Amino acid sequence: MTKDGEEITMAVEGTCDAKFAELREEFERNFAERGEVGASVCLSVGGETMVDLWGGQADPTHDQAWEEDTVSIVFSCSKAATALCAHILIDRGELKLAAPVSDYWPEFAQKGKEGTTVQMMLNHESAVPAFRDPIKPGGYLDWDYMVKRIEEEEAHWVPGTSSGYHMVSFGWTVGELVRRVSGKSLGSFFRDELAGPLGADFWLGVPVDFAHPVAPIIPFQPSPDMEMTAFTQKLLTDPQSIQALSFLNSGGWDMNDPKGHKAEIGGAGGISNARGQVAMYTPLANGGEHKGVRIVSEERIAHMERCSVATSVNMTLLCGTRFASGFMKSMDNRAYPGGKQMTALIGERAFGHVGAGGSIGFADPECNLAFSYTMNRMGQGLLLNDRGQSLIDAAYRALGYRSNESGAWVR
C-alpha cells in the first residue's frame, strides 16, 4: 500500500501457532498484494484458539489503526447469528421446522405466503426476498415497519417451490419468528442466549454505551474491465428485478451511520470481528458446548450442517447455491461467468455464512475448526474473494486437507 508515493508496511499483530504459519503469510500478503486495508482473522481447533491476528487501518481517512478490539459490519455473516437463534428455539421444542409460520406469526399468512413453513423461512424459500414498493427513508432501522412490509408483500413465487436468497429480509423473516416465540427482540435474544454466555464480541444492534472502535466500510470500486455476474447484470439493467430491489431498495440505509449500528438488522447489520465470530462458532465445531456453555445439542448440529436446499440457479443470486437451514454450505460457481465472485470453498461438513465484500465465519465439525475473517474494504462479489479464500485454503492445508473436484476441502 502506498501513501503520497511512499510504500507503507502494514503491521500484523496478534498470535499464530507455528502450524498455521502459511496462513499468517497469506494474511500479510493480503496487505502487500491484494489491497487489504484493515482486517482480522481468527480460528480455533478443538476449542483452542490457534490464530488471532489483525492489522492495517480501521479508518485510513483518519489514520486510525485496526486494533485488537476493532469491529465492523459483517453484512450477511449476521444471518448465521439470526439462524442460530432460531435453532436454539428449535432445540428447545419451542419452534418446529415443519410447522406453518402462521402458527407463530398469523399476519404473515397472506398474499400467497399462507403455506410457508419454518423450514422454508430458513431455506430462503419463503418468497419475500425483496420489496416491490419503495422502503421509506430509514425503514431498515424500524423493526415494526419492516415486519409489516414483510406481511404485506405479495409472494414472489409459491413458497417452497424455489429458493431465492433473502439478502436483507432474512433478518426480519427469521428474526420475527425468534421474537414471537421467545418474547425478546432478536438482538436481545442473541445477546442473552449466545453472545453474552460465550463472551463473543458480536452484536445484532449495539448498545447505547458501545465502546468498541467501528471500522467504516470502504465500498468496492468496480473497474471498467470487471467481468460481471448474471446477478450484477440483472441488477444494473432491470430496476424492478428481484436483484435490483433486494440490493438497492433499502430506504437509504447507510452502513456507516452509527444510528444504523444500533438497529437490529439481522440480515446484514451485525457488528463483529473475526474473534467474535469464532467465539460463536467454536461450540458448533465441538458438539455444541464450549467451556461449560452449551448452546445447542449434538443432534441439532447434525441438522445444522446438513444441506437442506440446493439450486442450480438461485432466484436472487442467479447462480448455484447450497444452504443448510439458514447457513451457507460450500458453493463452487467458478464455471459461471464471473463465478469466482460467487464462490466460497469450505469443508464438506462445514456450515456458516459469508458477508458481502468477502467476510466469512463458519464451523467445521469434522475437524473441530471454527474460522472467521473480517475486513473493512469490500471486494468484488457477494461471496468470497482471494483474500478470504486464501486464508481458508491455508487453514485447511495446515489441518491435512486437500481440495476435491468440487472445490470443497476433504481429508
Side-chain angles (χ1 to χ4, degrees), residues 15-92:
T15 59
C16 181
D17 187 273
K19 183 175 185 177
F20 295 94
E22 182 194 353
L23 187 152
R24 181 179 184 124
E25 291 172 3
E26 291 295 338
F27 190 57
E28 293 172 343
R29 188 170 292 125
N30 283 348
F31 292 99
E33 301 175 10
R34 301 180 182 126
E36 194 77 274
V37 175
S40 63
V41 61
C42 184
L43 68 80
S44 68
V45 179
E48 180 183 356
T49 299
M50 306 289 281
V51 176
D52 185 6
L53 299 171
W54 61 91
Q57 292 185 303
D59 186 352
T61 62
H62 295 89
D63 200 25
Q64 293 177 353
W66 188 294
E67 305 287 356
E68 182 177 5
D69 62 345
T70 297
V71 292
S72 66
I73 282 191
V74 292
F75 292 110
S76 286
C77 293
S78 314
K79 290 183 179 67
T82 298
L84 185 50
C85 291
H87 281 283
I88 288 174
L89 295 171
I90 293 166
D91 211 26
R92 294 173 181 171

Side-chain angles (χ1 to χ4, degrees), residues 141-162:
L141 314 189
D142 186 337
W143 183 276
D144 292 338
Y145 168 80
M146 293 307 302
V147 166
K148 189 168 182 60
R149 289 298 305 270
I150 291 278
E151 294 168 354
E152 295 177 346
E153 186 69 24
E154 184 177 350
H156 287 253
W157 60 81
V158 177
T161 62
S162 293

Side-chain angles (χ1 to χ4, degrees), residues 19-20 23 41-52 274 277-288 290 301 305 345-352 360-373 388-389 391-401 409-411:
K19 183 175 185 177
F20 295 94
L23 187 152
V41 61
C42 184
L43 68 80
S44 68
V45 179
E48 180 183 356
T49 299
M50 306 289 281
V51 176
D52 185 6
Q277 290 201 73
V278 164
M280 181 182 80
Y281 280 110
T282 292
L284 306 184
N286 296 278
H290 182 58
I301 291 176
E305 72 177 63
L345 305 177
I346 55 180
E348 292 196 327
R349 289 182 59 189
F351 61 98
I360 190 171
F362 66 88
D364 191 336
E366 181 173 277
C367 53
N368 308 116
L369 169 69
F371 178 97
S372 178
Y373 156 74
Q389 190 65 61
L391 302 175
I392 292 170
D393 295 351
Y396 274 113
R397 281 194 291 267
L399 294 172
Y401 279 66
W409 286 92
V410 296
R411 287 194 188 276

Side-chain angles (χ1 to χ4, degrees), residues 76-90 97 118-125 163 165-166 170 174 190 194 202 266 277 280-285 295-297 299-311 314 317 320-331 344 346-355 360-365 371 383:
S76 286
C77 293
S78 314
K79 290 183 179 67
T82 298
L84 185 50
C85 291
H87 281 283
I88 288 174
L89 295 171
I90 293 166
L97 277 168
V118 173
Q119 180 70 74
M120 292 175 196
M121 282 280 202
L122 286 164
N123 282 353
H124 298 265
E125 297 177 301
S163 177
Y165 186 52
H166 287 44
F170 185 93
V174 176
F190 179 70
L194 281 155
F202 199 150
Q277 290 201 73
M280 181 182 80
Y281 280 110
T282 292
L284 306 184
I295 300 302
V296 289
S297 66
E299 293 77 13
R300 177 85 336 241
I301 291 176
H303 180 96
M304 290 160 67
E305 72 177 63
R306 190 180 309 133
C307 183
S308 56
V309 60
T311 58
N314 184 278
L317 298 179
T321 57
R322 300 169 67 239
F323 289 98
S325 295
F327 301 95
M328 282 187 168
K329 297 288 286 178
S330 190
M331 297 185 190
I346 55 180
E348 292 196 327
R349 289 182 59 189
F351 61 98
H353 221 289
V354 302
I360 190 171
F362 66 88
D364 191 336
F371 178 97
L383 271 69

Side-chain angles (χ1 to χ4, degrees), residues 199-212:
D201 287 342
F202 199 150
W203 296 265
L204 299 176
V206 301
V208 175
D209 59 350
F210 191 66
H212 289 254

